[in-house]
Amino acid sequence: MKTITRRGKDTILPIVGDSVSELCLSASRPFAIVFQDASNEESHLTLEQDILLKRGDVERRVPSYRSNAPFDPSQLSPLLDLLGSMVTDTCAYHDGRLEVTFSCQWSLLVLPIESYEAWRFQYPRPGRPIGGNLAHAQSLGGYEGGLVG
């Protein structure tokens, strides 16, 4: 059973050690990342806000579908590096920021700057397994100024 835990005022998502098994990318809907653990259980992270990927001195901004910028599919390519990568650390900061660090050395950051939910973590993945036990479901989201369960 996975459990969301605390680190001081911040929160740790229960995906450390899980691998990225799917990326759901779209020009008109939120991005989503699916994580899978060793027992094939899946978690889901929906990203409504722009994403910042950092690796050393390199930073890549991936605009969300909410961005006013024209859609350019080539901007999504850095996300492909995450496929198959293992999560090495996570932190949902008390002010609504999210940071996920991967074994491929990329860190994904989501900075909530609007008055809506910038990201939402769900375990188990919605709809999986069909008819599955939701007794221990976990959910957490970040918005400008805080976290909401």
Side-chain angles (χ1 to χ4, degrees):
M1 173 179 68
K2 295 185 178 218
T3 305
I4 293 173
T5 58
R6 305 280 296 173
R7 182 188 295 162
K9 293 194 290 185
D10 304 320
T11 304
I12 307 305
L13 301 181
I15 54 174
V16 174
D18 293 3
S19 295
V20 175
S21 61
E22 290 180 40
L23 294 172
C24 306
L25 306 174
S26 172
S28 59
R29 290 189 307 254
F31 302 141
I33 302 175
V34 177
F35 303 93
Q36 190 172 58
D37 67 14
S39 64
N40 294 325
E41 290 187 347
E42 294 178 327
S43 301
H44 190 263
L45 179 63
T46 304
L47 304 165
E48 295 266 358
Q49 189 58 270
D50 292 0
I51 300 165
L52 182 63
L53 288 172
K54 295 172 95 173
R55 182 191 296 173
D57 294 337
V58 176
E59 288 189 6
R60 301 265 174 92
R61 183 180 159 272
V62 181
S64 75
Y65 76 105
R66 293 182 184 268
S67 174
N68 292 329
F71 178 69
D72 178 2
S74 68
Q75 292 177 317
L76 303 176
S77 63
L79 291 170
L80 298 176
D81 282 348
L82 303 181
L83 276 171
S85 293
M86 184 178 293
V87 176
T88 58
D89 194 23
T90 69
C91 191
Y93 296 97
H94 67 280
D95 62 4
R97 292 175 294 137
L98 174 67
E99 184 171 6
V100 182
T101 306
F102 298 91
S103 60
C104 63
Q105 306 306 311
W106 282 113
S107 288
L108 178 148
L109 298 138
V110 181
L111 307 172
I113 58 172
E114 301 289 335
S115 59
Y116 58 87
E117 195 169 77
W119 58 270
R120 162 104 1 226
F121 170 80
Q122 293 173 286
Y123 167 80
R125 179 181 183 185
R128 307 281 175 95
I130 296 172
N133 181 359
L134 297 178
H136 301 289
Q138 303 283 314
S139 181
L140 185 70
Y143 66 96
E144 182 180 30
L147 300 173
V148 61

